[in-house]
């Protein structure tokens, strides 16, 4: 058996063992919530499903179809990119479900599964999908899975520190997801490809067709990004604001990307890579402040600024990092997730400082009058219907 | 006029006559529900629309875009596959609407049209779209339409026998839709291409690009499958459970497909055809048990098993059937819809037997307290709001 | 600096100035609605979000992904078509937001932003995206932006005249959007390319692959069209009717397109261009009558008729207009938006006349019992929950 075939046998063994262990874990510990059959409870659950499920589906489309297509910009690697993205998502969601269940939801020897917990696991899985961008097309599927196994617990720890210990509100995951996964991915890339200053592989030059497919992926992500940012917000004003802020930021970053890219390229042409990434930079940056009560102009400005740093990152910082520190960042995740994420974090500090001067709390997050229901996202809606 | 042009004239004549007859039928018998203008009724209808329409749109995307793209894996047949799938869907929905209206909803000489009836017709049309997979690229559009004309009434009869007479609950259509349409399609294929052991047509070899588009179709189907399974469930716990079970089953079948396919292929490579079909096998199998109160591990196990039988079917059973019984099954519908469907049916028998031992009925389907509203799917939500 | 580079510098300057002015405008005049933190208001806003946002996302997918892909039928112009469509949409939405804010929503020196106002601006932006079809691939991005700047205020004026002054109800924008933007676009095309009878550019011949992508765009538009027509309807019966009427009209126009196109083409083949456009003609025509209480057969008939005029337009009228009046209409917007729109307008006149004879008002638009809430689209739902 030649070595390449040998390594190919590793993947099914690895995944098979994982699936077997998962079955065992589910058999022992996971159950559905046995809600009472009373009419009020039925209506409550129904309303929670109706208020969460459309957002959930939007996010699934983003991650499975949108992100998958975005990664097909390497023409010969298209099918693999789509497949690896899909596999990694599923694997990471289930792995996160297990870990989060053990850490947070383990009561009386059981974990009660619901749509909200799946959604939270999906958020954890996003970190893996982002980090992979740094080593796209260079790592074997097994290496990607090992990365996923390591990244999810590190993410859960970091998220616990940031949200629970430091009390940072980050509904859109700007810091907990985007900044974290960017530097995790860069670290993995550095670790895996430390010594080798590889030349550009021929399959790494996008063609006009692969750029088109990749842009379709960007547009799908662009359209559904507000759902990603707003799904975990408090229903009502906060969620409404999060949707609007995200829409404004993404509009601004798309236009600013065109401006910045055209000005920086020598022939004045818009670079496809800039457009595919810069249009989304606003969504990355806005996450941490999306539901705060700030003036709409702040969302616009943040979107514009994040597109500028993203394009500048692609044009100047990335080549510098590659040459000086021999960083490999295949998809430019540092420009899309790292820099705009840091910008968003800075913006949230400013917002909190400004708000604390105004005496009106920045996050007007009173617990909803309903309380006591596990699905934060659906509280206010399901609640007061008697 | 050469014969090929002659046969091409048949299609518009056929469709034109159908559309004319449909206009006549609608003019004579179809009306909208003249709901009263009272405030409570308005709210009821509005809630029914909001709770059904997003699911309905998801299913439309699945059938028109997802399934259409999945069928474009034959490179030269891509445009036709997309077009034929689209046409057949519309034709079959309208034909099913007429037949179901006559059979079930004909009161005082009128059929009252609503979104729920369109949805039910859409389910009937799915059978045609599945059966077509057996003869994709080999039959003329007119042959496909004749097949649709015959299949819809047979489906309605078989569904009536299974659901009404035998009392089988099958929210996701595992038996009534998938198993039925698989064997119907294989029968048609056998009937049409009985004698001819045709060699593989050159346009029947997928390229890497057509495989990519087809995989995008698979992913769209994969993402929206929970909507298909859950749309007709009782709102509340049952619908919530159906969504979760479907998600678990589809996760499991995607991972298991990779395991099984890589182990079975000699070079350890993942076969695109296996991935495109096996990932969906869990959704096929879970339909009949999705809303039952069973432990989550059962959904995972069923998803894994169905992927195994699907891949085994592609690898061993399909070539055998083709050689021994000269069955033509272009898209492998027997592997995706037949085998997993039978597995799901067997699982439902087990579930019912286990549940009857537990004394807790497997389907905890008490009629909702609202009652009396025609749209089963939206009862509990719209209902108790005073 | 050569002239082509010079003109390329114009685009970033133009967009940069616009974005700067927008930031200034937002800083001075735009704020979020500071809704009270009372429980009832929170529930009201939450319900408005849940009843509007899924429709809004559907429309975003239509415009960004569906329409973008539809325009990629020119093979070498695919990436640019997708990009220009995206940019123009964002630009026009923001420009419409500013103008509509100044005209309609300027109270006490402030404009209160909400999802409904963004939706209305999106409708205004659609006119630009349609008009662009007439000059696709022939105009520079700057020319397109100048067109957008001029078209939005003209649209707002024309919409004000038609809806407010003349009292025409046009929920789906048949007259205000489709007919208006068609003739605006043709006028621009005539003005820009008056003298030059340009030969067909080689990049203007679709290939089988570009036709496939374009058909995918059509199918996405086809699936989500009911959301576009129904989003601004009164919730309850009117919205339900609008969804059903649009579904019926689009079904009918897809089938009729196949009939008409196959009969008219000499070899009996279905023309991809006809299918890509004719399938949508029913959606264009139905908009103005979608929520009226008319029998379902009227929607079917209108869908069929509009497909016929669309295909006839492509086959006979467009070549005639091109030759006689030297009209350039790259995408055939006159056939898809002009003729079916006029047909829909005529149908609405008939519907109003018939209804006035029946003494039952055609639009049964009593103000919802809630009243006083700014989001017309969500009134009845959020309202009566105590």
């Amino acid at each position: 058996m030649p070595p390449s075939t040998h390594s190919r046998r590793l993947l099914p063994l690895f995944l098979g063992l994982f699936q077997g262990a998962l079955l065992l874990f589910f058999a022992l510990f996971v159950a559905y919530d046995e809600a009472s059959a009373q009419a009020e409870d039925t209506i409550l659950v129904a309303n929670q499903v109706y208020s969460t499920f459309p957002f959930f589906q939007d996010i699934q489309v983003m991650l499975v179809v949108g992100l998958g297509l975005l990664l097909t910009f390497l023409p010969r690697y298209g099918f693999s990119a789509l497949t690896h993205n899909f596999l990694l998502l599923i694997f990471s969601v289930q792995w996160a479900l297990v870990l989060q269940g053990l850490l947070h939801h383990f009561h009386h020897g059981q974990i009660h599964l619901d749509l909200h917990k799946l959604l939270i696991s999906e958020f954890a899985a996003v970190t893996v999908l982002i980090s992979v961008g740094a080593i796209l097309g260079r790592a074997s599927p097994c290496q990607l899975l090992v990365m996923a196994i390591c990244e999810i617990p590190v993410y859960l720890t970091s998220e616990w520190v940031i949200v629970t210990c430091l009390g940072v509100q980050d509904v859109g995951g700007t810091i907990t997801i985007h900044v974290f996964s960017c530097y995790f991915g860069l670290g993995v890339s550095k670790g895996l490809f430390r010594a080798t200053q590889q030349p550009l592989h021929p399959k790494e030059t996008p063609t006009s067709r692969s750029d088109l497919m990749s842009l379709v992926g960007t547009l799908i992500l662009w359209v559904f990004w507000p759902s990603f940012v707003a799904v975990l917000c408090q229903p009502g004003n906060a969620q409404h604001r999060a949707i609007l802020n995200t829409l404004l930021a993404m509009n601004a970053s798309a236009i600013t990307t065109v401006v910045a890219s055209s000005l920086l390229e020598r022939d004045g042409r818009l670079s496809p890579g800039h457009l595919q990434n810069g249009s989304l930079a606003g969504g990355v940056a806005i996450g941490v402040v999306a539901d705060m009560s700030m003036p709409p102009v702040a969302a616009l400005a943040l979107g514009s600024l994040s597109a500028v740093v993203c394009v500048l990152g692609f044009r100047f910082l990335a080549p510098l990092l590659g040459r000086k520190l021999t960083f490999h960042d295949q998809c430019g995740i540092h420009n899309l997730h790292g820099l705009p994420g840091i910008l968003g974090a800075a913006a949230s500090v400013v917002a909190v400082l400004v708000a604390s001067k105004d005496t009106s709390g920045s996050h007007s997050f009173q617990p909803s009058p309903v309380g006591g229901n596990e699905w934060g996202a659906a509280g206010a809606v399901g609640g007061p219907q008697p």
Side-chain angles (χ1 to χ4, degrees), chain A residues 163-188:
Chain A
V163 175
T164 312
C165 301
L166 302 179
V168 176
Q169 297 276 3
D170 189 4
V171 288
T174 298
I175 304 166
T176 52
I177 293 177
H178 292 286
V179 176
F180 165 78
S181 59
C182 164
Y183 290 103
F184 191 96
L186 290 180
V188 169

Side-chain angles (χ1 to χ4, degrees), chain A residues 45-66:
Chain A
V45 172
N47 276 315
Q48 286 165 340
V49 169
Y50 294 134
S51 62
T52 307
F53 191 56
F55 288 86
F56 182 82
Q57 294 287 77
D58 287 357
I59 295 169
Q60 291 263 68
V61 174
M62 282 175 79
L63 300 180
V64 174
V65 184

Side-chain angles (χ1 to χ4, degrees), chain A residues 12 21 73 83 167 173 198 212 221 230 285 293 330 344 364 366:
Chain A
F73 67 97
T83 312
Q198 288 175 315
L212 180 67
L221 287 168
S293 49
Q330 186 62 48
S364 57
Q366 287 96 17

Side-chain angles (χ1 to χ4, degrees), chain A residues 206-284:
Chain A
T207 64
S208 72
R209 185 161 313 114
S210 71
D211 264 336
L212 180 67
M213 292 300 280
S214 184
L215 183 61
V216 172
T218 295
L219 295 180
I220 292 174
L221 287 168
W222 190 90
V223 163
F224 291 116
W225 206 286
S227 299
F228 181 79
V229 171
V231 64
L232 293 180
C233 290
Q234 200 72 6
N237 291 323
Q239 195 169 41
H240 187 204
R241 228 165 22 227
I243 291 172
L244 293 173
N245 278 330
T246 310
L247 284 167
L248 289 177
M250 303 208 74
N251 280 351
S253 65
I255 287 192
T256 312
T257 299
V258 176
V259 174
S261 174
S262 309
L263 284 180
L264 285 175
E265 294 290 313
R266 255 175 229 150
D267 58 354
R269 275 181 190 285
L270 174 63
S271 148
H274 292 177
L275 186 66
Q276 283 150 7
N277 290 281
S279 313
L280 305 173
V284 171

Side-chain angles (χ1 to χ4, degrees), chain A residues 45 71 90 253 289 335 380:
Chain A
V45 172
L71 297 180
I90 297 174
S253 65
V289 292
N335 311 312

